[in-house]
Amino acid sequence: MALSRPFVEYCVRGWDNLPRTLLMYYSNFISSPEGYFHTVVCNADEFKKTTVNHGLHYIWWDNPPKQHPHYVTMDDLEWLPATRHSLGSSTQMTQC
């Protein structure tokens, strides 16, 4: 994820109440960065036309899940192809 300086300033200074309201909401989630910035950018009129939706991600959670997912490293390249999982999601491309 890449965030522009104007968007980060909007999240910090919040010239409307949206970033602050969503921050309070997402503070109750285990891994709030997974959705906070996406929700803010897709709901802020000034920034929602600036997103690029690609859906490429790989998340590997423990069972039971911990606070953060595992990071895929070069060591994972040995076993990852054997799992037959792709490194993309099969989500439908939609606009915010």
Side-chain angles (χ1 to χ4, degrees):
M1 174 185 337
L3 305 175
S4 68
R5 182 181 182 101
F7 177 70
V8 172
E9 287 177 353
Y10 172 74
C11 289
V12 172
R13 296 192 177 135
W15 43 87
D16 67 13
N17 207 27
L18 178 67
R20 195 172 324 127
T21 302
L22 290 174
L23 185 61
M24 289 188 300
Y25 175 75
Y26 273 98
S27 66
N28 296 315
F29 284 72
I30 291 176
S31 187
S32 56
E34 295 287 326
Y36 172 73
F37 293 110
H38 307 82
T39 305
V40 174
V41 77
C42 287
N43 286 285
D45 290 333
E46 184 175 341
F47 297 102
K48 65 179 158 188
K49 299 284 187 190
T50 65
T51 62
V52 177
N53 193 0
H54 61 71
L56 298 176
H57 63 280
Y58 180 82
I59 300 175
W60 173 31
W61 291 97
D62 286 323
N63 192 7
K66 294 182 181 174
Q67 185 171 0
H68 299 287
H70 293 283
Y71 291 100
V72 177
T73 65
M74 294 300 286
D75 296 333
D76 299 317
L77 293 180
E78 293 178 19
W79 64 266
L80 192 59
T83 64
R84 298 184 350 190
H85 295 291
S86 64
L87 294 180
S89 63
S90 59
T91 60
Q92 184 179 10
M93 298 291 279
T94 59
Q95 288 186 333
C96 295

Coordinates of all heavy atoms in Angstrom, one line a residue:
M1 N 0.9 -1.2 0.0 CA 0.0 0.0 0.0 C 0.9 1.2 0.0 O 1.9 1.3 0.7 CB -0.9 0.0 1.3 CG -1.7 1.2 1.4 SD -2.7 1.4 2.9 CE -2.9 -0.2 3.5
A2 N 0.6 2.2 -0.8 CA 1.3 3.4 -0.9 C 0.3 4.6 -0.6 O -0.8 4.6 -1.2 CB 1.9 3.6 -2.3
L3 N 0.6 5.4 0.3 CA -0.2 6.5 0.7 C 0.4 7.8 0.3 O 1.6 8.1 0.6 CB -0.5 6.5 2.2 CG -1.0 5.2 2.8 CD1 -1.1 5.3 4.3 CD2 -2.4 4.9 2.2
S4 N -0.4 8.7 -0.3 CA 0.2 10.0 -0.7 C 0.2 10.9 0.6 O -0.5 10.8 1.5 CB -0.7 10.7 -1.7 OG -2.0 11.0 -1.2
R5 N 1.1 11.9 0.5 CA 1.2 12.9 1.6 C -0.1 13.6 1.9 O -0.5 13.7 3.0 CB 2.4 13.9 1.3 CG 2.6 14.9 2.4 CD 3.7 15.9 2.1 NE 3.9 16.7 3.2 CZ 4.8 16.6 4.1 NH1 5.7 15.6 4.0 NH2 4.9 17.4 5.1
P6 N -0.8 14.1 0.8 CA -2.1 14.8 1.1 C -3.1 13.8 1.9 O -3.8 14.3 2.7 CB -2.6 15.2 -0.2 CG -1.4 15.3 -1.1 CD -0.5 14.2 -0.6
F7 N -3.1 12.6 1.5 CA -4.0 11.6 2.2 C -3.6 11.4 3.6 O -4.4 11.4 4.5 CB -4.1 10.3 1.4 CG -4.9 9.3 2.1 CD1 -6.3 9.5 2.1 CD2 -4.4 8.2 2.7 CE1 -7.1 8.5 2.8 CE2 -5.2 7.3 3.4 CZ -6.6 7.4 3.4
V8 N -2.3 11.2 3.9 CA -1.8 11.1 5.2 C -2.1 12.3 6.1 O -2.6 12.2 7.2 CB -0.3 10.7 5.3 CG1 0.2 10.7 6.7 CG2 -0.1 9.4 4.6
E9 N -1.9 13.5 5.5 CA -2.3 14.7 6.2 C -3.8 14.7 6.5 O -4.2 15.2 7.6 CB -1.9 15.9 5.4 CG -0.4 16.1 5.4 CD 0.0 17.3 4.5 OE1 -0.8 17.9 3.8 OE2 1.2 17.6 4.5
Y10 N -4.6 14.3 5.6 CA -6.0 14.2 5.8 C -6.3 13.3 7.0 O -7.2 13.6 7.8 CB -6.7 13.7 4.5 CG -8.2 13.4 4.7 CD1 -9.1 14.4 4.9 CD2 -8.6 12.1 4.7 CE1 -10.5 14.2 5.0 CE2 -10.0 11.8 4.9 CZ -10.9 12.9 5.0 OH -12.2 12.6 5.2
C11 N -5.7 12.1 7.0 CA -5.9 11.2 8.1 C -5.4 11.7 9.5 O -6.1 11.5 10.5 CB -5.1 9.9 7.9 SG -5.8 8.9 6.5
V12 N -4.4 12.5 9.5 CA -3.8 13.1 10.7 C -4.6 14.3 11.2 O -5.0 14.4 12.3 CB -2.3 13.4 10.6 CG1 -1.8 14.1 11.8 CG2 -1.5 12.1 10.4
R13 N -4.8 15.2 10.2 CA -5.5 16.5 10.6 C -7.0 16.4 10.5 O -7.7 17.1 11.2 CB -5.0 17.6 9.7 CG -3.5 17.8 9.9 CD -3.0 19.1 9.3 NE -1.6 19.3 9.6 CZ -0.7 19.6 8.8 NH1 -1.0 19.8 7.5 NH2 0.6 19.8 9.2
G14 N -7.5 15.6 9.6 CA -8.9 15.3 9.5 C -9.8 16.5 9.4 O -10.5 16.8 10.4
W15 N -9.8 17.2 8.3 CA -10.6 18.4 8.2 C -12.1 18.1 8.2 O -12.9 19.0 8.3 CB -10.2 19.3 7.1 CG -9.9 18.6 5.8 CD1 -10.9 18.3 4.8 CD2 -8.7 18.2 5.3 NE1 -10.3 17.6 3.8 CE2 -8.9 17.6 4.0 CE3 -7.4 18.2 5.8 CZ2 -7.9 17.0 3.3 CZ3 -6.4 17.7 5.0 CH2 -6.6 17.1 3.8
D16 N -12.4 16.9 8.2 CA -13.8 16.5 8.6 C -13.6 15.4 9.6 O -12.5 15.0 10.0 CB -14.6 16.1 7.4 CG -14.2 14.8 6.7 OD1 -13.4 14.1 7.3 OD2 -14.6 14.5 5.6
N17 N -14.7 14.8 10.1 CA -14.6 13.9 11.2 C -14.4 12.4 10.8 O -14.3 11.6 11.6 CB -15.9 14.0 12.0 CG -15.7 13.7 13.5 OD1 -14.6 13.8 14.0 ND2 -16.8 13.2 14.1
L18 N -14.4 12.1 9.5 CA -14.3 10.7 9.0 C -13.1 10.0 9.6 O -13.3 8.9 10.1 CB -14.4 10.7 7.5 CG -14.3 9.3 6.9 CD1 -15.5 8.4 7.3 CD2 -14.1 9.4 5.4
P19 N -11.9 10.5 9.4 CA -10.7 9.7 9.8 C -10.8 9.4 11.3 O -10.5 8.3 11.8 CB -9.5 10.5 9.5 CG -10.0 11.4 8.4 CD -11.4 11.7 8.7
R20 N -11.2 10.3 12.1 CA -11.2 10.2 13.6 C -12.3 9.2 14.0 O -12.1 8.3 14.8 CB -11.5 11.5 14.3 CG -11.2 11.5 15.7 CD -11.2 12.9 16.3 NE -10.8 13.7 15.5 CZ -10.9 14.9 14.7 NH1 -11.3 15.4 14.8 NH2 -10.5 15.6 13.9
T21 N -13.5 9.3 13.3 CA -14.6 8.4 13.6 C -14.2 6.9 13.3 O -14.4 6.0 14.1 CB -15.8 8.8 12.9 OG1 -16.2 10.1 13.2 CG2 -17.0 7.8 13.1
L22 N -13.6 6.7 12.1 CA -13.2 5.4 11.7 C -12.0 4.9 12.6 O -11.9 3.7 12.8 CB -12.8 5.4 10.2 CG -13.9 5.6 9.3 CD1 -13.4 5.7 7.8 CD2 -14.9 4.4 9.4
L23 N -11.1 5.7 13.0 CA -10.1 5.3 13.9 C -10.6 4.8 15.2 O -10.2 3.7 15.7 CB -9.1 6.5 14.2 CG -7.9 6.1 15.0 CD1 -7.0 5.1 14.3 CD2 -7.0 7.4 15.2
M24 N -11.6 5.4 15.8 CA -12.2 4.9 17.0 C -12.9 3.6 16.7 O -12.8 2.7 17.5 CB -13.3 5.9 17.5 CG -12.6 7.2 18.1 SD -13.7 8.3 19.0 CE -14.9 8.7 17.7
Y25 N -13.6 3.4 15.6 CA -14.2 2.2 15.2 C -13.2 1.1 15.0 O -13.3 0.0 15.6 CB -15.0 2.4 13.9 CG -15.7 1.1 13.4 CD1 -16.8 0.6 14.0 CD2 -15.1 0.5 12.3 CE1 -17.4 -0.6 13.5 CE2 -15.7 -0.7 11.8 CZ -16.8 -1.2 12.4 OH -17.4 -2.4 11.9
Y26 N -12.1 1.3 14.3 CA -11.1 0.3 14.0 C -10.2 0.0 15.2 O -9.5 -1.0 15.2 CB -10.3 0.7 12.8 CG -10.9 0.2 11.5 CD1 -11.6 1.1 10.7 CD2 -10.7 -1.1 11.1 CE1 -12.2 0.7 9.5 CE2 -11.3 -1.5 9.9 CZ -12.1 -0.6 9.1 OH -12.6 -1.1 8.0
S27 N -10.2 0.8 16.2 CA -9.4 0.5 17.4 C -9.9 -0.8 18.1 O -9.1 -1.3 18.9 CB -9.4 1.7 18.4 OG -10.7 1.8 18.9
N28 N -11.0 -1.2 17.8 CA -11.5 -2.5 18.4 C -11.2 -3.7 17.6 O -11.6 -4.8 17.9 CB -13.1 -2.4 18.6 CG -13.4 -1.3 19.6 OD1 -12.8 -1.2 20.6 ND2 -14.4 -0.5 19.2
F29 N -10.5 -3.6 16.5 CA -10.1 -4.7 15.6 C -8.7 -5.2 16.0 O -7.9 -4.4 16.4 CB -10.1 -4.3 14.2 CG -11.5 -4.2 13.6 CD1 -12.4 -3.1 13.9 CD2 -12.0 -5.1 12.7 CE1 -13.6 -3.0 13.4 CE2 -13.2 -5.0 12.1 CZ -14.1 -4.0 12.5
I30 N -8.5 -6.5 15.8 CA -7.1 -7.0 16.1 C -6.1 -6.4 15.1 O -5.0 -6.0 15.6 CB -7.2 -8.6 15.9 CG1 -8.0 -9.2 17.0 CG2 -5.8 -9.1 15.9 CD1 -8.1 -10.7 17.0
S31 N -6.4 -6.4 13.9 CA -5.4 -5.9 12.9 C -6.0 -4.7 12.1 O -6.4 -4.9 10.9 CB -4.9 -7.0 12.0 OG -3.9 -6.5 11.1
S32 N -6.2 -3.6 12.8 CA -6.9 -2.5 12.1 C -6.2 -1.9 10.9 O -6.9 -1.4 10.0 CB -7.1 -1.3 13.2 OG -5.9 -0.9 13.7
P33 N -4.9 -2.0 10.7 CA -4.3 -1.4 9.4 C -4.8 -2.2 8.2 O -4.7 -1.7 7.1 CB -2.8 -1.6 9.6 CG -2.6 -1.6 11.1 CD -3.8 -2.3 11.6
E34 N -5.3 -3.4 8.4 CA -5.8 -4.2 7.3 C -7.0 -3.5 6.6 O -7.3 -3.8 5.4 CB -6.2 -5.6 7.7 CG -5.1 -6.4 8.2 CD -4.2 -6.9 7.1 OE1 -4.7 -7.2 6.0 OE2 -3.0 -7.0 7.3
G35 N -7.7 -2.7 7.3 CA -8.9 -2.1 6.7 C -9.1 -0.6 6.9 O -9.8 0.1 6.2
Y36 N -8.3 0.0 7.8 CA -8.5 1.4 8.2 C -8.3 2.3 7.0 O -9.2 3.1 6.6 CB -7.7 1.8 9.3 CG -7.7 3.3 9.6 CD1 -8.9 3.9 10.2 CD2 -6.7 4.2 9.3 CE1 -8.9 5.2 10.4 CE2 -6.7 5.5 9.5 CZ -7.9 6.1 10.1 OH -8.0 7.4 10.3
F37 N -7.1 2.3 6.4 CA -6.8 3.2 5.3 C -7.6 3.0 4.1 O -8.1 3.9 3.4 CB -5.3 3.1 5.0 CG -4.4 3.6 6.1 CD1 -3.6 2.8 6.8 CD2 -4.4 5.0 6.4 CE1 -2.8 3.2 7.8 CE2 -3.6 5.4 7.4 CZ -2.8 4.5 8.1
H38 N -8.0 1.7 3.8 CA -8.8 1.4 2.7 C -10.2 2.0 2.9 O -10.8 2.6 1.9 CB -9.0 -0.1 2.5 CG -7.7 -0.8 2.5 ND1 -6.9 -1.1 3.6 CD2 -6.9 -1.3 1.4 CE1 -5.8 -1.8 3.2 NE2 -5.8 -1.8 1.9
T39 N -10.7 1.9 4.1 CA -12.0 2.5 4.4 C -12.1 4.0 4.3 O -13.0 4.6 3.7 CB -12.5 2.0 5.8 OG1 -12.4 0.6 5.8 CG2 -13.9 2.5 6.1
V40 N -11.0 4.6 4.8 CA -11.0 6.1 4.8 C -10.9 6.6 3.3 O -11.6 7.4 2.9 CB -9.8 6.6 5.6 CG1 -9.6 8.1 5.4 CG2 -9.9 6.3 7.1
V41 N -10.0 6.0 2.5 CA -9.8 6.5 1.2 C -11.0 6.2 0.3 O -11.3 7.1 -0.5 CB -8.5 5.9 0.5 CG1 -8.7 4.5 0.1 CG2 -8.0 6.7 -0.6
C42 N -11.7 5.1 0.5 CA -12.9 4.8 -0.3 C -14.1 5.6 0.1 O -15.1 5.7 -0.6 CB -13.2 3.4 -0.3 SG -12.0 2.4 -1.2
N43 N -14.1 6.3 1.3 CA -15.2 7.0 1.8 C -15.0 8.5 1.8 O -15.9 9.3 2.2 CB -15.7 6.5 3.2 CG -16.3 5.2 3.1 OD1 -17.5 5.1 2.6 ND2 -15.6 4.1 3.4
A44 N -13.8 9.0 1.5 CA -13.5 10.4 1.5 C -13.7 10.9 0.1 O -13.0 10.4 -0.8 CB -12.1 10.6 2.0
D45 N -14.6 11.8 -0.1 CA -14.9 12.3 -1.5 C -13.6 12.8 -2.2 O -13.5 12.6 -3.4 CB -15.9 13.4 -1.4 CG -17.3 12.9 -1.1 OD1 -17.6 11.7 -1.3 OD2 -18.1 13.6 -0.5
E46 N -12.7 13.4 -1.5 CA -11.6 14.0 -2.1 C -10.6 13.0 -2.6 O -9.8 13.3 -3.5 CB -10.9 14.9 -1.0 CG -9.7 15.7 -1.5 CD -9.1 16.6 -0.5 OE1 -9.8 17.0 0.4 OE2 -8.0 17.0 -0.7
F47 N -10.6 11.8 -2.0 CA -9.6 10.8 -2.3 C -10.1 9.5 -3.0 O -9.3 8.7 -3.5 CB -8.8 10.4 -1.1 CG -8.0 11.6 -0.5 CD1 -8.5 12.2 0.6 CD2 -6.9 12.0 -1.1 CE1 -7.9 13.3 1.2 CE2 -6.2 13.1 -0.5 CZ -6.7 13.7 0.6
K48 N -11.4 9.3 -3.0 CA -11.8 8.0 -3.5 C -11.6 7.7 -5.0 O -11.6 6.6 -5.4 CB -13.3 7.8 -3.2 CG -14.3 8.7 -3.8 CD -15.7 8.3 -3.3 CE -16.7 9.4 -3.4 NZ -17.9 9.0 -2.8
K49 N -11.3 8.8 -5.8 CA -11.0 8.6 -7.2 C -9.5 8.4 -7.4 O -9.0 8.3 -8.5 CB -11.5 9.8 -8.0 CG -12.9 10.1 -7.9 CD -13.7 9.1 -8.8 CE -15.1 9.6 -8.8 NZ -16.0 8.6 -9.5
T50 N -8.7 8.3 -6.3 CA -7.3 8.2 -6.4 C -6.8 6.7 -6.1 O -5.6 6.5 -6.1 CB -6.6 9.1 -5.5 OG1 -6.9 8.7 -4.1 CG2 -7.0 10.6 -5.7
T51 N -7.7 5.8 -6.0 CA -7.3 4.4 -5.6 C -7.1 3.6 -6.9 O -7.6 3.8 -7.9 CB -8.4 3.8 -4.8 OG1 -9.6 3.7 -5.5 CG2 -8.7 4.5 -3.5
V52 N -6.2 2.6 -6.7 CA -6.0 1.6 -7.7 C -6.3 0.2 -7.0 O -5.7 -0.1 -6.0 CB -4.5 1.6 -8.1 CG1 -4.2 0.4 -9.1 CG2 -4.1 2.9 -8.7
N53 N -7.3 -0.5 -7.6 CA -7.7 -1.7 -7.0 C -7.1 -2.9 -7.7 O -7.4 -3.1 -8.9 CB -9.3 -1.8 -7.1 CG -9.9 -2.8 -6.2 OD1 -9.2 -3.6 -5.6 ND2 -11.2 -3.0 -6.3
H54 N -6.2 -3.6 -7.0 CA -5.6 -4.7 -7.7 C -5.8 -6.1 -7.1 O -5.8 -7.1 -7.7 CB -4.1 -4.5 -7.9 CG -3.4 -4.3 -6.6 ND1 -3.2 -5.4 -5.7 CD2 -2.8 -3.3 -6.0 CE1 -2.5 -5.0 -4.7 NE2 -2.3 -3.7 -4.8
G55 N -6.1 -6.1 -5.8 CA -6.4 -7.4 -5.1 C -5.3 -8.4 -5.0 O -5.6 -9.5 -4.8
L56 N -4.1 -7.9 -5.1 CA -2.9 -8.9 -5.0 C -2.4 -8.9 -3.6 O -1.8 -7.9 -3.1 CB -1.8 -8.5 -6.0 CG -2.2 -8.5 -7.4 CD1 -1.0 -8.0 -8.2 CD2 -2.5 -9.9 -7.9
H57 N -2.7 -9.9 -2.9 CA -2.2 -10.0 -1.5 C -2.1 -11.5 -1.1 O -2.8 -12.3 -1.7 CB -3.0 -9.2 -0.5 CG -4.4 -9.7 -0.4 ND1 -5.4 -9.3 -1.3 CD2 -5.0 -10.4 0.5 CE1 -6.5 -9.9 -1.0 NE2 -6.3 -10.6 0.1
Y58 N -1.3 -11.8 -0.1 CA -1.2 -13.1 0.4 C -1.2 -13.0 1.9 O -0.3 -12.3 2.5 CB 0.0 -13.9 -0.1 CG 0.1 -15.3 0.5 CD1 -0.6 -16.3 -0.1 CD2 0.9 -15.6 1.6 CE1 -0.5 -17.6 0.4 CE2 1.0 -16.8 2.1 CZ 0.3 -17.9 1.5 OH 0.3 -19.1 2.0
I59 N -2.1 -13.6 2.6 CA -2.1 -13.5 4.1 C -2.1 -14.9 4.7 O -2.9 -15.8 4.3 CB -3.4 -12.8 4.6 CG1 -3.4 -11.3 4.0 CG2 -3.4 -12.7 6.1 CD1 -4.7 -10.6 4.4
W60 N -1.2 -15.1 5.6 CA -1.0 -16.4 6.2 C -1.1 -16.2 7.7 O -0.3 -15.7 8.4 CB 0.4 -17.0 5.8 CG 0.8 -18.2 6.5 CD1 0.0 -19.2 7.0 CD2 2.1 -18.6 6.8 NE1 0.7 -20.2 7.6 CE2 2.0 -19.9 7.5 CE3 3.3 -18.1 6.7 CZ2 3.1 -20.6 7.9 CZ3 4.4 -18.7 7.1 CH2 4.3 -20.0 7.7
W61 N -2.3 -16.7 8.2 CA -2.6 -16.5 9.7 C -2.2 -17.8 10.4 O -2.4 -18.9 9.9 CB -4.0 -16.2 9.9 CG -4.4 -14.8 9.4 CD1 -5.0 -14.5 8.2 CD2 -4.3 -13.6 10.1 NE1 -5.2 -13.2 8.1 CE2 -4.8 -12.6 9.3 CE3 -3.8 -13.3 11.4 CZ2 -4.8 -11.2 9.7 CZ3 -3.8 -11.9 11.7 CH2 -4.3 -10.9 10.9
D62 N -1.9 -17.6 11.7 CA -1.7 -18.8 12.6 C -3.1 -19.3 12.9 O -4.1 -18.7 12.7 CB -1.1 -18.4 13.9 CG 0.4 -18.1 13.7 OD1 1.1 -18.8 12.9 OD2 0.9 -17.2 14.4
N63 N -3.2 -20.5 13.4 CA -4.4 -21.1 13.8 C -4.3 -21.5 15.3 O -3.7 -22.5 15.5 CB -4.8 -22.3 12.9 CG -6.3 -22.7 13.1 OD1 -7.0 -22.1 13.9 ND2 -6.6 -23.8 12.5
P64 N -4.9 -20.8 16.2 CA -5.8 -19.6 16.1 C -5.0 -18.4 15.7 O -3.8 -18.3 16.0 CB -6.3 -19.5 17.5 CG -5.3 -20.1 18.4 CD -4.7 -21.2 17.6
P65 N -5.6 -17.4 15.1 CA -4.9 -16.2 14.6 C -4.3 -15.4 15.8 O -4.9 -15.2 16.8 CB -6.0 -15.4 13.9 CG -7.2 -16.2 13.9 CD -7.0 -17.4 14.8
K66 N -3.1 -14.9 15.5 CA -2.4 -14.0 16.4 C -2.8 -12.5 15.9 O -3.6 -12.4 15.0 CB -0.9 -14.2 16.4 CG -0.6 -15.6 17.0 CD 0.9 -15.8 17.0 CE 1.2 -17.1 17.6 NZ 2.6 -17.5 17.5
Q67 N -2.1 -11.5 16.5 CA -2.4 -10.2 16.2 C -2.0 -9.8 14.7 O -2.7 -9.0 14.1 CB -1.8 -9.2 17.1 CG -2.2 -7.8 16.9 CD -1.7 -6.8 18.0 OE1 -1.1 -7.2 18.9 NE2 -2.0 -5.6 17.8
H68 N -0.9 -10.3 14.2 CA -0.5 -10.0 12.9 C -0.2 -11.3 12.1 O 0.2 -12.3 12.6 CB 0.8 -9.2 13.0 CG 0.7 -7.9 13.7 ND1 0.0 -6.8 13.2 CD2 1.1 -7.5 14.9 CE1 0.0 -5.8 14.0 NE2 0.6 -6.2 15.1
P69 N -0.4 -11.2 10.8 CA -0.1 -12.4 9.9 C 1.4 -12.6 9.8 O 2.2 -11.7 10.1 CB -0.8 -12.0 8.6 CG -0.8 -10.5 8.6 CD -0.9 -10.1 10.0
H70 N 1.8 -13.7 9.2 CA 3.2 -14.0 8.9 C 3.6 -13.2 7.7 O 2.8 -12.9 6.8 CB 3.4 -15.5 8.6 CG 3.2 -16.4 9.7 ND1 4.1 -16.5 10.8 CD2 2.1 -17.2 10.1 CE1 3.6 -17.4 11.6 NE2 2.4 -17.8 11.2
Y71 N 4.8 -12.8 7.6 CA 5.4 -12.2 6.4 C 6.0 -13.3 5.6 O 6.7 -14.1 6.1 CB 6.4 -11.1 6.8 CG 5.9 -9.9 7.5 CD1 5.9 -9.8 8.9 CD2 5.2 -8.9 6.7 CE1 5.4 -8.7 9.5 CE2 4.7 -7.8 7.4 CZ 4.7 -7.7 8.7 OH 4.2 -6.6 9.3
V72 N 5.7 -13.2 4.3 CA 6.3 -14.2 3.4 C 7.8 -13.8 3.1 O 8.0 -12.6 2.7 CB 5.5 -14.3 2.1 CG1 6.1 -15.2 1.1 CG2 4.1 -14.7 2.4
T73 N 8.7 -14.7 3.3 CA 10.1 -14.4 3.0 C 10.6 -15.4 1.9 O 9.9 -16.2 1.5 CB 10.9 -14.6 4.3 OG1 10.9 -16.0 4.7 CG2 10.4 -13.7 5.4
M74 N 11.9 -15.2 1.6 CA 12.5 -16.1 0.6 C 12.5 -17.6 1.1 O 12.4 -18.5 0.3 CB 14.0 -15.7 0.3 CG 14.1 -14.3 -0.3 SD 13.2 -14.2 -1.9 CE 14.3 -15.1 -2.9
D75 N 12.5 -17.8 2.4 CA 12.5 -19.2 2.9 C 11.2 -19.9 2.6 O 11.1 -21.1 2.4 CB 12.7 -19.2 4.4 CG 14.1 -18.7 4.8 OD1 15.0 -18.8 4.0 OD2 14.2 -18.2 5.9
D76 N 10.1 -19.1 2.4 CA 8.8 -19.6 2.1 C 8.7 -20.1 0.6 O 7.7 -20.8 0.3 CB 7.7 -18.6 2.4 CG 7.7 -18.2 3.9 OD1 7.8 -19.1 4.7 OD2 7.5 -17.0 4.1
L77 N 9.6 -19.7 -0.2 CA 9.5 -20.1 -1.6 C 9.7 -21.6 -1.9 O 9.4 -22.1 -2.9 CB 10.5 -19.2 -2.4 CG 10.2 -17.8 -2.5 CD1 11.2 -17.0 -3.4 CD2 8.8 -17.5 -3.1
E78 N 10.3 -22.2 -0.9 CA 10.5 -23.7 -1.0 C 9.2 -24.4 -0.9 O 8.9 -25.4 -1.6 CB 11.5 -24.2 0.1 CG 12.9 -23.7 -0.2 CD 13.8 -24.1 0.9 OE1 13.5 -25.1 1.6 OE2 14.9 -23.5 1.1
W79 N 8.3 -24.1 0.1 CA 7.1 -24.8 0.3 C 5.9 -24.2 -0.4 O 4.9 -24.9 -0.6 CB 6.8 -25.0 1.8 CG 6.6 -23.7 2.5 CD1 7.5 -23.0 3.2 CD2 5.4 -23.0 2.6 NE1 7.0 -21.9 3.7 CE2 5.6 -21.9 3.4 CE3 4.1 -23.3 2.2 CZ2 4.6 -20.9 3.7 CZ3 3.1 -22.3 2.5 CH2 3.4 -21.2 3.3
L80 N 5.9 -22.9 -0.6 CA 4.7 -22.2 -1.2 C 4.2 -22.8 -2.5 O 3.0 -23.0 -2.6 CB 5.0 -20.7 -1.3 CG 3.8 -19.8 -1.6 CD1 2.8 -19.9 -0.5 CD2 4.3 -18.4 -1.7
P81 N 5.1 -23.1 -3.5 CA 4.5 -23.6 -4.7 C 3.8 -25.0 -4.5 O 2.9 -25.3 -5.2 CB 5.8 -23.8 -5.6 CG 6.7 -22.8 -5.1 CD 6.5 -22.7 -3.6
A82 N 4.3 -25.7 -3.5 CA 3.7 -27.0 -3.3 C 2.2 -26.9 -2.7 O 1.5 -27.9 -2.8 CB 4.5 -27.8 -2.3
T83 N 1.9 -25.8 -2.2 CA 0.6 -25.6 -1.6 C -0.5 -25.4 -2.6 O -1.7 -25.4 -2.4 CB 0.5 -24.4 -0.6 OG1 0.8 -23.2 -1.3 CG2 1.5 -24.6 0.5
R84 N -0.1 -25.0 -3.9 CA -1.0 -24.8 -5.0 C -1.9 -23.5 -4.7 O -3.0 -23.4 -5.2 CB -1.8 -26.0 -5.3 CG -1.0 -27.1 -5.8 CD -1.7 -28.3 -6.2 NE -3.2 -28.3 -6.0 CZ -4.0 -29.3 -6.2 NH1 -3.5 -30.5 -6.5 NH2 -5.3 -29.2 -5.9
H85 N -1.4 -22.6 -3.9 CA -2.1 -21.4 -3.6 C -1.5 -20.3 -4.5 O -0.3 -20.3 -4.6 CB -2.0 -21.0 -2.1 CG -2.7 -21.9 -1.2 ND1 -4.1 -22.0 -1.2 CD2 -2.2 -22.7 -0.3 CE1 -4.4 -22.9 -0.3 NE2 -3.3 -23.4 0.3
S86 N -2.3 -19.4 -5.0 CA -1.7 -18.3 -5.8 C -1.4 -17.1 -4.8 O -1.9 -17.1 -3.7 CB -2.7 -17.9 -6.9 OG -3.9 -17.4 -6.3
L87 N -0.7 -16.2 -5.3 CA -0.4 -15.0 -4.5 C -1.4 -13.8 -4.9 O -1.0 -12.7 -4.8 CB 1.0 -14.6 -4.7 CG 2.1 -15.5 -4.2 CD1 3.5 -15.0 -4.5 CD2 1.9 -15.8 -2.7
G88 N -2.5 -14.2 -5.3 CA -3.6 -13.2 -5.6 C -4.9 -13.6 -5.1 O -5.1 -14.8 -4.7
S89 N -5.8 -12.7 -5.0 CA -7.1 -13.1 -4.5 C -8.1 -13.2 -5.7 O -7.9 -12.6 -6.7 CB -7.6 -12.1 -3.5 OG -7.8 -10.8 -4.1
S90 N -9.1 -13.9 -5.5 CA -10.1 -14.1 -6.6 C -11.3 -13.2 -6.3 O -12.5 -13.6 -6.6 CB -10.6 -15.6 -6.6 OG -11.2 -15.9 -5.4
T91 N -11.0 -12.0 -5.9 CA -12.1 -11.0 -5.7 C -12.5 -10.3 -7.0 O -11.7 -10.2 -7.9 CB -11.7 -9.9 -4.6 OG1 -10.6 -9.3 -5.2 CG2 -11.4 -10.6 -3.3
Q92 N -13.7 -9.9 -7.0 CA -14.2 -9.1 -8.2 C -13.7 -7.7 -8.1 O -13.7 -7.1 -7.1 CB -15.7 -9.1 -8.2 CG -16.3 -8.5 -9.4 CD -17.9 -8.6 -9.3 OE1 -18.4 -8.9 -8.3 NE2 -18.5 -8.2 -10.4
M93 N -13.3 -7.2 -9.3 CA -12.8 -5.8 -9.3 C -13.9 -4.9 -9.2 O -14.8 -4.9 -10.1 CB -12.0 -5.6 -10.6 CG -10.8 -6.5 -10.8 SD -9.5 -6.1 -9.6 CE -8.8 -4.7 -10.5
T94 N -13.9 -4.0 -8.2 CA -15.0 -3.1 -8.1 C -14.4 -1.7 -7.7 O -13.3 -1.6 -7.2 CB -16.0 -3.5 -6.9 OG1 -15.2 -3.6 -5.7 CG2 -16.7 -4.8 -7.2
Q95 N -15.2 -0.7 -8.0 CA -14.8 0.7 -7.6 C -15.2 0.9 -6.1 O -16.2 0.3 -5.7 CB -15.3 1.7 -8.5 CG -14.7 1.7 -9.9 CD -15.2 2.9 -10.7 OE1 -16.3 3.4 -10.5 NE2 -14.4 3.3 -11.6
C96 N -14.6 1.8 -5.5 CA -14.9 2.2 -4.1 C -16.2 2.9 -4.1 O -16.5 3.6 -5.0 CB -13.9 3.0 -3.4 SG -12.3 2.1 -3.2

